[in-house]
Structures are given as C-alpha cells and as structure tokens.
Amino acid sequence: SLGSGKTLYIDFNTLMEDTNIERQKILDALKNISRNKSYLFDDAKILLKALPQLQDRFDVAILTFGQTFFQQLKLDYTPEIKQYPAYITDQLKTEYIKENFANRPSGVLVDDKPDQNLPNSWTEINVDRRASNHLQPEEINDGIFRITQLDDAIALLHKI
C-alpha cells in the first residue's frame, strides 16, 4: 500500500491473491453494484453543473487516485463527468501534477485531501467534510483555501 498518513492505496490484485474466489465473479459483482450507485456528493453535482461557465478560464479535468479498475468503474458510472478528460493515478496527486502538468503556468486542485504540497503557481481548494456545519470559505495559507461544501468552490474559482 502507498500512503502519506493521509492517503491509503490498497491493491486489488494483491488482495485477490489471498483468496480462492474467481476474480471475474468479483469484478462482475462490482460492476453490477456500481450501476445503481452514485459516486458523487450532492454538492459535487452542483459544482459540476457550474464548471462549463469556467471552461473559458480553466481546462477542467478529473484527477482520481486509486486502483485503475475501481476508479474507472466510478468514472464509467458517473455520467456527470463524462465531458471532462479523466486521469487515474496510483501515485499521490501532487506527484502526478508535478510530473504531468509541470508545463502549465498555474492550476487549481479541488480535493478532499489537505496539504497537497502543490507547485507554487497552483491553488489548492480543500474540501473539509468533517465540519458539522457549513463554514465560510477561508484562505488558510497562501494559495490554500478551505471549504466545507463543494459548491463554495464555484465563487472561489471565479475569483482566482
């Protein structure tokens, strides 16, 4: 597993090695379960509806961390994100960004993992879902904002 204390990566293939269950049966069962499951929080749906208004300022993409099979399953069964390019990584997002988007002068990562240690020209919008009530967005460090609901990211993205 890969982890920084904030992120944990569990490899499906390694888990399967320790079982006698036929792999394809598990994969088929996961696909069936996913067909009827929503992988988006309600506020994510609001943000996704607002993103087309921002496409003149940002190249919008989905960056997801985890085992390719599981992440692709979620992407396949989430129609709200089909219009955006999607990148799946099993490395920390900050490392993926540094390796694959280093040529961009700036960027914004909206994510639920704090302290991403992004390149200096990037902005981090951290969604802190632990708060029991809605808090106003706040800049907690230079270029790092904390929000408690994804729809608050819309106003921040218009200001950046």
Side-chain angles (χ1 to χ4, degrees), residues 101-120:
F101 299 110
N103 62 337
R104 297 194 181 233
S106 65
V108 178
L109 176 67
V110 180
D111 199 67
D112 59 356
K113 305 288 185 283
D115 306 321
Q116 292 282 345
N117 193 25
L118 296 171
N120 289 336

Side-chain angles (χ1 to χ4, degrees), residues 74-92:
K74 292 192 293 187
L75 294 170
D76 289 345
Y77 292 106
T78 307
E80 296 90 343
I81 61 174
K82 294 261 189 234
Q83 69 191 46
Y84 304 109
Y87 303 93
I88 300 172
T89 182
D90 61 358
Q91 66 185 131
L92 298 176

